[in-house]
Amino acid sequence: REDNFKTWIMVRLKPWFVIGGSDICQKDSRVNTLYVLLGGKCGYVLQQRYNRFKFIDFHMGTIFGQLDILGSLWGKNFVDEEGDVKTIDSLFEEWWYFQKFLQYQYTVSAQEDCELLTLSLEDFWLMRTEFIQVYEDLWSGAHDQVFCLRKLCGQAIKHMG
């Protein structure tokens, strides 16, 4: 099964090179890609009014973008066709159907040249049916991570304010 996954993922991951000083993804832009950092330095930065202060460093192997999916839906109420309010747990399983609400929660900036691999949202959703364990591993601890990330961002803003 592991060899099957390697074959499946290798044809879907696309290489991307980002020049230092450039943004990889910008806060409030539409989530369309997940990223894997292969080399270089990048991380979450605050908005311009806070001098783009970097409050989280990414290291080689960091996967990012999936927390933005959950963060986009956090605290929102969605109603299904039957009029039932969706919980965060059901949204967690059905995020694909709420794509128009998905926005990157923070800007990721390259402090130096970065080599990345990208995975489309479509392929990430397909992974759910093809390789459920890998998909679930990518979500492992996501609720706690989103909460901690928001807390760290708030502390960074308070520090910069």
Side-chain angles (χ1 to χ4, degrees):
R1 190 90 176 129
E2 184 179 325
D3 287 339
N4 290 344
F5 175 71
K6 287 179 184 176
T7 302
W8 184 89
I9 196 72
M10 291 309 293
V11 298
R12 287 167 172 79
L13 291 171
K14 307 293 183 227
W16 191 37
F17 184 81
V18 177
I19 296 172
S22 302
D23 288 341
I24 295 168
C25 57
Q26 293 185 332
K27 178 178 172 35
D28 297 329
S29 63
R30 193 156 183 184
V31 176
N32 56 11
T33 306
L34 273 64
Y35 303 91
V36 180
L37 179 63
L38 296 180
K41 289 186 181 177
C42 66
Y44 288 128
V45 297
L46 297 177
Q47 302 95 320
Q48 188 66 41
R49 68 177 179 246
Y50 298 110
N51 299 317
R52 295 176 55 85
F53 177 77
K54 183 172 62 166
F55 66 100
I56 297 282
D57 277 319
F58 292 159
H59 303 282
M60 185 174 68
T62 298
I63 300 169
F64 55 100
Q66 77 278 22
L67 295 181
D68 297 284
I69 294 169
L70 187 58
S72 295
L73 303 176
W74 198 282
K76 293 183 174 64
N77 291 319
F78 295 93
V79 178
D80 64 17
E81 297 80 31
E82 288 81 38
D84 296 324
V85 176
K86 295 288 196 177
T87 65
I88 190 65
D89 290 327
S90 63
L91 289 172
F92 183 67
E93 292 298 320
E94 300 172 7
W95 61 265
W96 179 258
Y97 305 107
F98 301 96
Q99 286 182 62
K100 66 181 180 181
F101 299 103
L102 304 181
Q103 294 181 321
Y104 290 107
Q105 302 297 290
Y106 307 97
T107 296
V108 176
S109 183
Q111 280 72 51
E112 61 183 42
D113 293 352
C114 290
E115 294 177 64
L116 300 138
L117 293 175
T118 64
L119 181 69
S120 72
L121 271 193
E122 293 82 6
D123 287 331
F124 185 51
W125 182 251
L126 183 59
M127 184 189 295
R128 180 177 183 263
T129 57
E130 299 289 326
F131 299 95
I132 188 68
Q133 187 59 54
V134 176
Y135 178 82
E136 288 177 352
D137 288 348
L138 285 171
W139 285 112
S140 177
H143 286 90
D144 293 338
Q145 291 174 25
V146 168
F147 178 78
C148 288
L149 192 54
R150 288 179 174 202
K151 187 175 180 180
L152 285 171
C153 181
Q155 289 172 347
I157 289 172
K158 192 175 194 179
H159 174 75
M160 294 302 293

